[in-house]
Amino acid sequence: MSARRIFAQPARYAAIAPYVWMVLFFLVPFGFVLKISLSQTAIAQPPYVPVFDFAEGWAAIKAAFAQLSLDNFRLLVSDNLYISSYLRSLVVAVTSTLILLLIGYPIAYGMARLPQRWQAIAMMLVIVPFWTSFLIRIYAWINILQHDGLLNKVLLALHLVSSPVVWLSTDTAMYIGIVYSYLPFMILPLYATLARMDPSLLEAASDLGASPGRAFWLVTFPLSLPGVGAGALLCFIPIVGEFVIPDLLAGSGSMMIGQTLWLEFFTNKDWPVAAAAAVALLMLLVPPLLLYDRLQRRQLGGAG
Amino acid sequence: MAGKVNRLSPFNITALALGMAFLYLPIVILVIYSFNASRLVTVWGGWSLRWYYEFFNDRAMLDAAWMSLRVAAVSATIATLLGTLAAVGLVRGERFRGRSLLSGMLYAPLVMPEVISGLSLLLLFVALNAERGFWTVTIAHTTLTMCFVTVVVQSRLASLDRSLEEAAMDLGCDPVQAFLSVTLPLIIPAIAAGWMLAFTLSLDDVVIASFTTGPGSSTLPIRIYSEVRLGVKPEINAICTMVIVLIAVVIVIASLASKLSSSKAESAAPL
C-alpha cells in the first residue's frame, strides 16, 4: 500500500512534459482559431485583421478585442454554400456509418467465432491495411474505378453491363472509398465486444429453446451495443470532416464541410471564414465526441 | 454444446472471406500494376521495372520522399517519448489535478477531423511567426501521433501486474529503478509498436502536412496527392508499392521484436 503511494509520485511527474506539449500544440491553437474566426478578412500576410502584437502591450490587445466581430459566423448561417455543405457532411457521415455497420458487423462476428489462434491472425489482417497508407488505398481504388479500369473490365467481360459505367467522380465511388478506409475502425471495437462475450450465454439461450437467429437478436446483438456505439462514433466523427476522399473520388458538385473549409482557406485565402467554419464544425462534433468519451470510459471501467 | 454454439457457420466464413478480399484486393492490384510496362495505367503491357527507374530519376519526388522519412523518424521518436510518459502518468500516477483534461486532449485528436487540427496548428505557427517547413510539420505530426502512442502503451501498462513493481520496491528499488528495470522491459513491445504506428501515420498524412508545411518543402503524400488530382500516373503505382513494402518491413520487424522480447520477458519473469 505504501509502496503504491510512493510510486504514484514520480509517475505523476511523468505526465508533465506531454501535458505541456498538448496544451501548447493542441489546446492553445484552438484559441487562435477562435480569435481569427472573430477577425476580419484582409488582403495581407497574414490575411486577417486585427493581429495581436504582444510586444505592444495590454492597450493593443484591448484595441484588438474591440475590433473582433461575429461577421464570419453571420456569413456562415446566411450563405447557402455553408449550410448545404454541413448538411451534406451529416448525410454522408450517417450513410457511411450505416453501411460500415452493415459490412463490419458480419466480419467482426465471424472473427469472434474463429478459434482463438485464428482470431489473433484475423485481427492482424484487419489492422495491416490501416497501417498501409490511406492515400495509397484511395489511389488503388481510383485505378479500379476509372473509366477503363478493372471494375468496368470485369463487368463487361461478365456481360453484366453493355458499356462502361461511370464510377469515378460519383457518390458511389466516394462511399466505396470512405467505407474502405474506415472499415478497420468499425471492425475493431465491434470485435472487441463480441470476443469478450461469454459463450455460455448463447448456450443458455439455446438450452431454453431459442433458435440461433433468435439468440443472436435477443442476446448477442443487445450485448454488442457498446461496441456498435463506439465503432459508429469512431467512424462518424472523422467522416464529417473528411476532405481527401470526397475530393479525389466524389464529383465536383456539392461539397462536404471539410472541402469547403479547405477551399476557403487555400483557394479563396479567406482565413477568418475558414476558421469560423472550423469552429462551427467543432461545435457540431462536441456532442458525439463527449458521447464517445463516455462510452470509452464506461468500457475501460468495465474492463478494470 | 459450446462447440456447437461457437461453430463457424457458412455465413461467418463468407463474411470473413469477402471482408478480407475487399480489404486486400485493391492493394494487390495496385502492386501488380506497378510492374506494368505500359504507359497507360489500365492496359497491361508486360512486366517491367520502368516506373521504379522513373521514380529514382524524379528529383522532386525523391526530395519529398526524403523529407517525409525525416519528418516521420523525428516525429515518431518524440511522439514515442512523450506518449509513453503520458501513458505512465495516466496509468501509474494517482489522480492529479487536470488528469481528465490531459486524457481528453489525448483522446480528441484520435477522432477529430484532420482539417481542424491542421488549420489550428497553422494559425498558431503563423501567430508565432514560425518559419514553416520541416520543424512545423514535425511538431504537428508529433502532436497527432503521440496520442496513438499513448493509447497503445496505456493499454499494455494497464494490463500489467502491478505487484511486479511492488515486489521490486520491497526488494529495495526506488520507484524509478523499479520502473526502469521491471516495467520498462515489459512494455517495450508496446512502445516499439507505438513508434511504428507513429512513423507510418506520419508517412501517410496529407491534410495536416499541407496546412503546416511551407513553400518548397512538401512531403511525399502531398506530392502524390497533387499528382493524383491531375490524373493517374503509372509512376505513382511504383511509389505506392515501395511505401507499402517499407511499411510491411517495419511491421514485420515490429512483430518479430515484440515476439522476441515477450518470450524473453516471460522466461525472465516466471513470477
Side-chain angles (χ1 to χ4, degrees):
Chain A
M1 196 55 209
S2 71
R4 218 171 259 213
R5 210 173 308 135
I6 297 165
F7 191 73
Q9 292 305 322
R12 188 192 298 201
Y13 295 123
I16 292 176
Y19 211 122
V20 171
W21 182 284
M22 286 312 282
V23 168
L24 214 60
F25 295 116
F26 184 74
L27 209 56
V28 171
F30 285 122
F32 284 96
V33 175
L34 199 62
K35 185 241 146 190
I36 288 159
S37 73
L38 298 169
S39 306
Q40 271 128 36
T41 307
I43 304 166
Q45 195 58 254
Y48 56 85
V49 282
V51 183
F52 282 146
D53 191 348
F54 296 108
E56 281 172 35
W58 187 236
I61 292 176
K62 258 194 348 211
F65 263 106
Q67 284 183 56
L68 295 180
S69 80
L70 283 169
D71 283 355
N72 299 310
F73 289 96
R74 270 187 217 115
L75 180 72
L76 287 190
V77 253
S78 62
D79 193 329
N80 255 335
L81 171 71
Y82 299 102
I83 296 170
S84 71
S85 47
Y86 273 109
L87 287 177
R88 177 159 163 88
S89 290
L90 283 177
V91 169
V92 169
V94 169
T95 315
S96 314
T97 306
L98 288 176
I99 303 173
L100 277 159
L101 259 175
L102 282 175
I103 297 180
Y105 203 102
I107 300 176
Y109 188 72
M111 281 169 66
R113 290 276 157 283
L114 285 171
Q116 206 69 43
R117 235 187 90 76
W118 282 90
Q119 283 191 20
I121 295 171
M123 198 161 103
M124 192 66 196
L125 284 174
V126 171
I127 295 175
V128 167
F130 167 75
W131 290 61
T132 333
S133 168
F134 118 98
L135 185 62
I136 291 176
R137 287 181 290 143
I138 295 304
Y139 177 68
W141 274 105
I142 296 181
N143 270 337
I144 296 170
L145 295 174
Q146 59 188 316
H147 187 70
D148 44 1
L150 221 60
L151 182 61
N152 273 334
K153 278 186 185 160
V154 170
L155 290 176
L156 286 169
L158 294 173
H159 297 291
L160 287 170
V161 294
S162 51
S163 59
V165 181
V166 177
W167 296 104
L168 214 55
S169 306
T170 64
D171 277 8
T172 314
M174 178 190 65
Y175 281 116
I176 292 175
I178 292 177
V179 168
Y180 186 66
S181 307
Y182 286 90
L183 196 56
F185 290 97
M186 180 58 87
I187 293 178
L188 291 175
L190 281 174
Y191 164 75
T193 49
L194 286 168
R196 261 212 308 264
M197 218 143 60
D198 188 351
S200 60
L201 290 171
L202 284 179
E203 278 174 50
S206 86
D207 285 350
L208 293 170
S211 66
R214 226 177 123 71
F216 174 81
W217 274 117
L218 292 177
V219 181
T220 311
F221 187 70
L223 282 174
S224 69
L225 281 178
V228 171
L233 288 169
L234 203 54
C235 294
F236 175 85
I237 300 167
I239 293 174
V240 169
E242 189 53 62
F243 162 73
V244 175
I245 303 174
D247 188 57
L248 290 178
L249 294 178
S252 52
S254 51
M255 288 193 290
M256 289 176 69
I257 189 64
Q259 290 170 278
T260 309
L261 198 163
W262 183 281
L263 191 78
E264 210 60 76
F265 192 86
F266 284 110
T267 311
N268 299 346
K269 302 243 188 302
D270 195 335
W271 291 19
V273 170
V279 171
L281 173 58
L282 203 62
M283 295 298 177
L284 190 79
L285 291 176
V286 166
L289 274 169
L290 289 178
L291 203 65
Y292 178 73
D293 185 53
R294 265 188 61 184
L295 263 176
Q296 205 64 21
R297 248 170 245 269
R298 201 186 315 157
Q299 272 184 323
L300 284 179
Chain B
M1 206 55 191
K4 191 182 168 198
V5 169
N6 255 339
R7 204 177 47 195
L8 278 166
S9 67
F11 174 76
N12 293 152
I13 294 168
T14 317
L16 278 175
L18 285 179
M20 292 302 162
F22 179 60
L23 284 176
Y24 283 93
L25 263 183
I27 301 174
V28 172
I29 292 167
L30 177 96
V31 172
I32 293 174
Y33 269 87
S34 76
F35 296 103
N36 187 359
S38 164
R39 172 161 289 282
L40 292 162
V41 195
T42 48
V43 179
W44 183 255
W47 297 88
S48 144
L49 286 174
R50 173 177 174 190
W51 305 113
Y52 291 85
Y53 288 121
E54 206 98 331
F55 167 72
F56 284 106
N57 287 315
D58 187 336
R59 195 68 242 171
M61 279 287 179
L62 282 177
D63 284 345
W66 178 231
M67 163 97 172
S68 271
L69 286 173
R70 281 185 304 150
V71 168
V74 175
S75 70
T77 307
I78 306 174
T80 306
L81 260 166
L82 291 171
T84 305
L85 285 172
V88 169
L90 286 174
V91 179
R92 287 294 192 252
E94 307 281 291
R95 304 249 146 213
F96 53 88
R97 208 181 304 165
R99 185 183 186 281
S100 56
L101 175 67
L102 177 63
S103 76
M105 285 191 297
L106 287 165
Y107 263 111
L110 298 182
V111 282
M112 200 139 77
E114 287 176 319
V115 270
I116 299 184
S117 316
L119 179 72
S120 64
L121 274 164
L122 169 65
L123 295 180
L124 171 80
F125 292 141
V126 170
L128 294 177
N129 234 335
E131 193 196 330
R132 275 173 284 148
F134 176 81
W135 280 108
T136 47
V137 181
T138 304
I139 288 172
H141 282 183
T142 304
T143 310
L144 177 77
T145 57
M146 71 180 274
C147 305
F148 286 85
V149 176
T150 306
V151 169
V152 172
V153 177
Q154 199 177 5
S155 67
R156 173 89 181 116
L157 207 53
S159 67
L160 215 61
D161 189 354
R162 207 177 245 212
S163 58
L164 291 174
E165 281 159 21
E166 281 166 14
M169 284 189 275
D170 285 345
L171 293 171
C173 279
D174 65 51
V176 175
Q177 278 176 330
F179 178 81
L180 291 178
S181 56
V182 177
T183 315
L184 193 62
L186 289 172
I187 60 170
I188 276 287
I191 294 175
W195 189 91
M196 310 280 170
L197 187 57
F199 182 82
T200 57
L201 283 169
S202 166
L203 212 56
D204 189 23
D205 166 70
V206 191
V207 178
I208 291 177
S210 297
F211 276 105
T212 51
T213 193
S217 51
S218 66
T219 61
L220 189 60
I222 296 179
R223 283 217 76 90
I224 295 177
Y225 180 65
S226 55
E227 294 281 330
V228 170
R229 284 185 97 178
L230 297 175
V232 181
K233 271 192 181 170
E235 190 194 338
I236 305 290
N237 281 339
I239 298 171
C240 290
T241 303
M242 282 186 281
V243 174
I244 291 173
V245 169
L246 174 71
I247 291 171
V249 168
V250 166
I251 295 176
V252 168
I253 292 175
S255 61
L256 282 181
S258 91
K259 217 173 254 172
L260 211 71
S261 70
S262 65
S263 61
K264 223 192 264 168
E266 269 157 31
S267 58
L271 284 167

